[in-house]
Amino acid sequence: MDMYGLVICGGNSARMGTDKSTLVYYDKPQHDHLYDQLSLFCKKVIISCNQEQFVSLETSNEKMPDLAQYSGHGPISGILTAFDTFPEHDFLVAGCDYPFLSKDELKLFLAKTTRDSRAAAFYNQDNKYEPLLAWYSKDAGPLLKEHFNRNEFSLQHFLKKYGAEKYLPKPERVVTSVDTPEEFERVKAILANENNK
């Protein structure tokens, strides 16, 4: 496939107290774990990060800092940077917040995504898109830039506006976002228990 993968590292991770992309659920930092998963489906994978992370993030995988004109506006910054840098490619996007994401679930998502759509995303029980578990076509790039230039930075609103396809995963826990130390420890315990069975 000519699709590229984008691992979104996120911002300051204030509630977690540490960079969520460096948390370890599967024997390596989450940014590298997701890099490996996306590599199964993508021609090329890039770790998207802010300027500070670009300096501090330890990885042998390719990483890309947000372009100055987009920085400081959340995850849309990384996706726009990717489209500016590689405008001829679709992007499969995965955020570091989702430890239950699996290659099997990504495979199902891609199988059910219509390639003539502008975008598709995982959908949760609160009837909201998960913009960082998503696929953005190359045609979405210019529209996303227009969205940004109107001072609209919400990917959720973008996906709603353009009627992105919805993918409801089973199990539902795939869309569980881990944002605090307590949630991290709970998920680590669940995964350890499952691995010991």
Side-chain angles (χ1 to χ4, degrees):
M1 296 177 67
D2 204 29
M3 178 174 63
Y4 280 13
L6 195 66
V7 177
I8 302 288
C9 283
N12 298 324
S13 302
R15 283 190 291 166
M16 182 64 72
T18 190
D19 188 339
K20 286 182 282 188
S21 75
T22 65
L23 297 175
V24 177
Y25 298 96
Y26 302 97
D27 302 321
K28 62 179 65 175
Q30 184 70 348
H31 54 76
D32 285 334
H33 171 72
L34 287 175
Y35 183 99
D36 291 345
Q37 287 206 321
L38 296 186
S39 294
L40 298 172
F41 307 99
C42 301
K43 182 178 181 180
K44 179 186 182 73
V45 180
I46 305 132
I47 296 173
S48 169
C49 51
N50 60 37
Q51 290 288 345
E52 289 181 6
Q53 288 169 321
F54 184 71
V55 174
S56 63
L57 213 61
E58 295 182 5
T59 180
S60 59
N61 295 316
E62 183 175 354
K63 55 185 177 178
M64 179 172 62
D66 297 338
L67 291 171
Q69 63 265 38
Y70 302 128
S71 66
H73 295 287
I76 195 172
S77 304
I79 297 175
L80 281 171
T81 295
F83 274 124
D84 265 22
T85 310
F86 305 103
E88 297 303 314
H89 295 275
D90 300 344
F91 280 93
L92 177 61
V93 174
C96 286
D97 312 63
Y98 304 94
F100 292 117
L101 181 66
S102 67
K103 61 180 183 293
D104 292 336
E105 206 62 46
L106 284 170
K107 185 176 181 179
L108 285 170
F109 169 63
L110 290 170
K112 293 186 177 183
T113 297
T114 308
R115 286 299 180 268
D116 57 2
S117 297
R118 289 193 177 105
F122 283 62
Y123 206 68
N124 64 36
Q125 293 294 48
D126 295 327
N127 298 317
K128 289 184 177 181
Y129 290 104
E130 297 288 348
L132 300 188
L133 293 177
W135 169 82
Y136 296 85
S137 74
K138 63 183 179 182
D139 295 331
L143 298 173
L144 195 61
K145 187 177 288 189
E146 290 176 11
H147 186 73
F148 182 89
N149 289 338
R150 291 192 298 268
N151 292 320
E152 297 177 20
F153 309 123
S154 169
L155 290 170
Q156 183 75 223
H157 292 164
F158 176 82
L159 293 170
K160 283 182 181 177
K161 180 176 181 178
Y162 290 101
E165 289 186 61
K166 302 169 183 176
Y167 173 71
L168 282 74
K170 295 181 182 179
E172 296 170 8
R173 74 177 192 175
V174 171
V175 295
T176 299
S177 175
V178 173
D179 301 306
T180 67
E182 294 76 19
E183 292 169 352
F184 171 64
E185 293 300 332
R186 181 179 64 82
V187 170
K188 282 278 286 185
I190 291 170
L191 294 172
N193 184 56
E194 290 176 354
N195 288 335
N196 289 331
K197 286 183 179 179

